[in-house]
Amino acid sequence: MTTTKYDPRVLKAPHPVPGAPDNWKRFFTFNTDAKVIGIQYMGLSLFFLLVGGLLAMVMRGELITPPSDLVDPTVYNGLYTMHGTVMLFLFLFPILNGFNNLLIPTMIGAPDMAFPKVNAAAFWLVPVFSVVLLSSFFVPGGPASAGWWSYPPVSIQNPLGHFLNGEFLWILAVALSGISSILGALNFVTTIIRMRAPGMGFFRMPVFVWTAWAAQTLQLVGLPALTGGAIMLLFDLSFGTSFFRPEGGGDPVLYQHFFWFYSHPAVYVMVLPVFGIFSELITVYSRKPLFGYKFVAIASFIITFLGLIVWVHHMFYSGTPQWMRNIFIVTTMLIAVPTGVKVFAWLGTLWGGKIRLTTPMLFVLGGVVNFILGGVTGIMLGTAPIDIHVGNTYFVVAHFHYIIFNTIGFGIFAGIYHWFPKFTGRMYYEGLGKIHFVLTFIGATLNWLPMHWAGLYGMPRRVASYDPEFAIWNVIASIGAFMLGVASIPFILNIVSSWARGAKASANPWNAIGLEWLLPSPPPAENFEDDVPTVISEPYGYGLGKPLVKDEEYYIRRSMEA
Amino acid sequence: MTSTTPKGKSGWPIRLIAVILLATASDALLSYQVSQWAYGWLPVPASTAAPYVDDLFSLEVGIGAFIFFGCTGFILWSVLFNRAEKYDESDGLPIEGNNKLEVTWTVIPFIIVMILAYQAIHVSETLSALGPKVKYDVEGGLSPDTAIVTGVRDDIGPIDVIARQWSWEFIYPNGVHSSELHLPLDQRANFRMSSEDVIHGFFVPAFRLKQDIVPGSVISYSITPTREGRYRLRDSQFSGAYFSQNQTDVVVESEDMFNAWLKQSAANPLVPGLSPGTALYNERLAKGNKGWATVPPAPPPMVNDPGNPDAPHDA
Ligand code: HEM
Ligand SMILES: [Cu+2]
């Protein structure tokens, strides 16, 4: 950012925080620029991906042999609880908010988020609750060890009786995470509704913006239930109330309703933006318009709606009456329809395209293939008789990792590579990227595919030891897991060295269509500032020869000269 | 924009149709084969419920495989044949959509999943007729005994199933206490399940049966075993420190053997039952109670038959 050839109007844009440093130090300040916040989210969450990954390595080390011999079973329980929590609340949610911060304003031509200070506050809550959560490793009694779903009565047992215990810190962290997410959601939804560039009607928004909007709406509806449940759990744990405590007449299953009413939709909060990333990238790297754009956009909100009425499929064997099971079988099955629409639209976009297998595209295609498998097993789990056999076994672990890592994780990597040049101003190394992809794909397959069979055969999840007949599947899984650990090396190497000394990126290295590609790389503070282009056509006009914005030539020239 | 340009409106794209038909046929064949393999991915079926579950599973694997192979095949095909040449920066065919196609691929999956939902509900109701399940609130004043006796058929029970951190105890109507669950072949067994501390899951993979046991409620549940053998019963709902140790066996035997066992056991003195967590906990105490905090295991139940956890099991 040394050459100063921006358009003078852009240069004049007041820096959001007067006097804030303009070098790497700005990432360690209470900066209100969405692009800085986006990178803050990204960096922090990638760090926690490593933390969560290390915990997983220890778990897979324990599980490589049947007996519980590497760590004490109590330690294993703490490890897997923290692994799940770190991955969800400190990796996935934050990194997706990183994408939201980087992409929503730039894609809709807004200078920043609607509420920049709230935005910064939402981010800084993340390091705060990460400290709360991780400090639980040092309290007597150790961290929470009742799993990321924290079902009572196990979660309220508190064997040492201390007030300050791992579970207490866990609930506190989850509540803080909820506050941060609600602040974020309000901001994203407001920004999308109120701050679009002139001419950008809802049906001219990129699909990523649609999916982020649908996902953040879910946060607003679902999170209050989780937060309510968590507060009641905290009271049961620390103040002896009996909302969920059976000895006092409470109902432990009630907690499960609170929990899943949010936590089922939460999976869509995570996967919807990734559907958005898939849609953005498949068009660029096939050089075709998104097939059935409007269907894909609307399907996001249908998923949001249906996502809210399926939660009981997590409780088929919790004593749920038959009539209730039947209703939730049907609603769960329905989810497959709008998700299917999306998958078919991606396939339709590939058809007859000019496909380029760059690293981001490889991650997208790998992610889509894995999503189809994860979706198929999801449908199986939705049919109660099958769920009654495989629920709470490794089959479920296989299903949700196929979605949560092999789909969502892949989408995140794809997005990072794709937009890396835009936001850092540097190109990544394609060779390292491809090594990262190959190792990740093989490692992930070895890790999670065999778990399907272990589960079908009856291996319960959350166990520190198991019967010897499950050994073969677990050995393969552990090898896959270690391979995933190795796969992170080329990734880290790539990011660090490319950012430091990669080739300078042009404004639009992929020759992509979208407002963000009409900005210089990296974009200046406040994006287009008050020189916002007027959008005149739908997104993804590949091969159509229609400009996206009025005076497109001017914006292209300006972005290239910067 | 050359090779992929569709032929003019005249005539049918015969080659395309042939390719699609061929691809669909081989997909169907392969998927059928996988659906047959699927039976082998499950433990031996050992209850009246198992065949229904297995058939439904096979059906779902078949449909799932068809979709998976179809879609991934399509992706592979595109990647192989629709690649851009090295320096080709041009665009693909700008097809933006096709309403007929969109509606078709909304309607077809809708029909498929509704068929699945119908079949799943059907199987689900069959299962609950085979093994009715009723949950009684202990506080609610309803007696768990009333409903159990309304079930007809030659059956045994109610057998009390008591789950604890971390052991299983079974109490038979004649007063026998056991750490292993013995059941006579081909008779409906009725259970009265309860937990003394946290939620446990009663899970016998060979029976395709899983039921959470929620403290504060009593659950009546029935199952009819159909194959002699020794099967694992596992705790499936995370129950704390020694959760993974919380397993025992179900022994299905002929009526004569069962009755002999019941009689023999009634004569046996009470001894501490199977409780692998207790042994591990004592080891831990001997090492200075290291590791993160845990509630101590409940004392092993006093039983007439402590069982034989090391005997080889069928599934
Ligand atoms: C789209 C993205 C999806 C994500 C991110 C996802 C994620 C998850 C996660 C994390 C769990 C495990 C929860 C736990 O017990 O800890 C789970 C379980 C489950 N999923 Fe999915 N899933 C997805 C798609 C689907 C689909 C499409 C279906 C059905 C049509 C489905 C049906 C189920 C069911 C029924 C369970 C409960 C299984 C059990 O606990 O017995 N999922 N999923
Ligand atoms: Cu769910």
Side-chain angles (χ1 to χ4, degrees), chain B residues 128-253:
Chain B
S128 66
L130 288 172
K133 176 202 69 172
V134 192
K135 188 177 161 200
Y136 304 94
D137 208 328
V138 182
E139 316 275 291
L142 251 173
S143 160
D145 305 270
T146 46
I148 276 183
V149 287
T150 58
V152 276
R153 292 250 300 269
D154 194 10
D155 55 10
I156 74 148
I159 303 169
D160 278 305
V161 176
I162 302 174
R164 298 191 181 87
Q165 282 171 314
W166 292 270
S167 60
W168 295 95
E169 181 182 3
F170 308 99
I171 307 175
Y172 287 80
N174 74 343
V176 163
H177 291 235
S178 171
S179 283
E180 249 169 27
L181 178 60
H182 283 246
L183 296 176
L185 186 67
D186 287 331
Q187 286 188 37
R188 189 163 94 180
N190 294 316
F191 305 110
R192 194 159 55 194
M193 306 184 187
S194 58
S195 159
E196 295 201 338
D197 33 54
V198 299
I199 305 176
H200 296 273
F202 181 93
F203 177 33
V204 187
F207 293 170
R208 315 288 187 271
L209 159 71
K210 176 180 292 119
Q211 176 59 48
D212 282 4
I213 311 180
V214 182
S217 311
V218 172
I219 288 165
S220 106
Y221 208 123
S222 318
I223 193 84
T224 311
T226 54
R227 184 182 179 279
E228 283 186 43
R230 183 176 266 274
Y231 309 105
R232 260 337 203 190
L233 160 66
R234 301 193 171 94
D235 191 353
S236 59
Q237 189 63 266
F238 179 69
S239 57
Y242 297 106
F243 164 65
S244 52
Q245 304 295 324
N246 199 13
Q247 25 185 17
T248 182
D249 284 347
V250 184
V251 180
V252 179
E253 53 205 358

Side-chain angles (χ1 to χ4, degrees), chain A residues 208-232:
Chain A
F208 178 83
V209 181
W210 272 95
T211 53
W213 184 17
Q216 297 301 321
T217 308
L218 268 179
Q219 292 282 54
L220 290 179
V221 181
L223 263 171
L226 178 74
T227 313
I231 290 173
M232 288 153 87

Side-chain angles (χ1 to χ4, degrees), chain A residues 209-465:
Chain A
V209 181
W210 272 95
T211 53
W213 184 17
Q216 297 301 321
T217 308
L218 268 179
Q219 292 282 54
L220 290 179
V221 181
L223 263 171
L226 178 74
T227 313
I231 290 173
M232 288 153 87
L233 193 67
L234 186 78
F235 270 75
D236 274 10
L237 172 74
S238 302
F239 306 113
T241 54
S242 288
F243 293 108
F244 310 126
R245 195 187 287 280
E247 306 93 273
D251 182 3
V253 176
L254 179 63
Y255 173 84
Q256 301 183 10
H257 285 285
F258 278 110
F259 181 79
W260 288 115
F261 182 78
Y262 170 67
S263 295
H264 176 81
V267 307
Y268 296 105
V269 174
M270 294 180 278
V271 87
L272 276 168
V274 167
F275 290 166
I277 292 176
F278 287 169
S279 306
E280 300 297 326
L281 270 56
I282 284 183
T283 56
V284 185
Y285 298 111
S286 308
R287 307 223 57 82
K288 285 189 60 197
L290 183 63
F291 195 95
Y293 159 71
K294 281 189 186 165
F295 279 77
V296 176
I298 293 172
S300 314
F301 272 93
I302 298 179
I303 292 176
T304 292
F305 171 72
L306 290 176
L308 284 164
I309 52 168
V310 303
W311 78 95
V312 173
H313 65 212
H314 295 273
M315 303 166 59
F316 280 144
Y317 35 77
S318 299
T320 315
Q322 187 64 32
W323 62 268
M324 206 194 256
R325 286 182 181 173
N326 293 350
I327 292 176
F328 284 92
I329 288 174
V330 174
T331 54
T332 304
M333 293 293 106
L334 282 177
I335 289 261
V337 178
T339 34
V341 165
K342 295 205 172 208
V343 173
F344 293 134
W346 300 328
L347 301 188
T349 309
L350 289 173
W351 170 261
K354 297 264 176 140
I355 297 174
R356 278 189 276 161
L357 291 184
T358 57
T359 304
M361 185 60 161
L362 286 173
F363 272 108
V364 169
L365 295 178
V368 171
V369 167
N370 286 333
F371 176 68
I372 297 168
L373 190 60
V376 164
T377 54
I379 291 184
M380 295 180 179
L381 289 169
T383 52
I386 304 301
D387 187 58
I388 286 176
H389 177 60
V390 295
N392 265 339
T393 70
Y394 259 86
F395 189 87
V396 173
V397 181
H399 155 72
F400 77 76
H401 280 94
Y402 256 83
I403 304 276
I404 241 159
F405 187 85
N406 296 9
T407 305
I408 300 177
F410 276 43
I412 286 170
F413 288 132
I416 290 178
Y417 284 110
H418 178 71
W419 282 289
F420 187 84
K422 173 56 44 191
F423 292 100
T424 63
R426 305 277 186 164
M427 295 305 287
Y428 64 85
Y429 299 115
E430 197 66 61
L432 277 177
K434 289 197 168 129
I435 295 175
H436 175 213
F437 169 75
V438 171
L439 286 175
T440 306
F441 191 87
I442 300 175
T445 304
L446 289 180
N447 194 352
W448 288 300
L449 193 62
M451 290 182 188
H452 290 105
W453 285 281
L456 284 167
Y457 217 71
M459 177 172 166
R461 63 195 282 208
R462 305 150 187 164
V463 290
S465 67

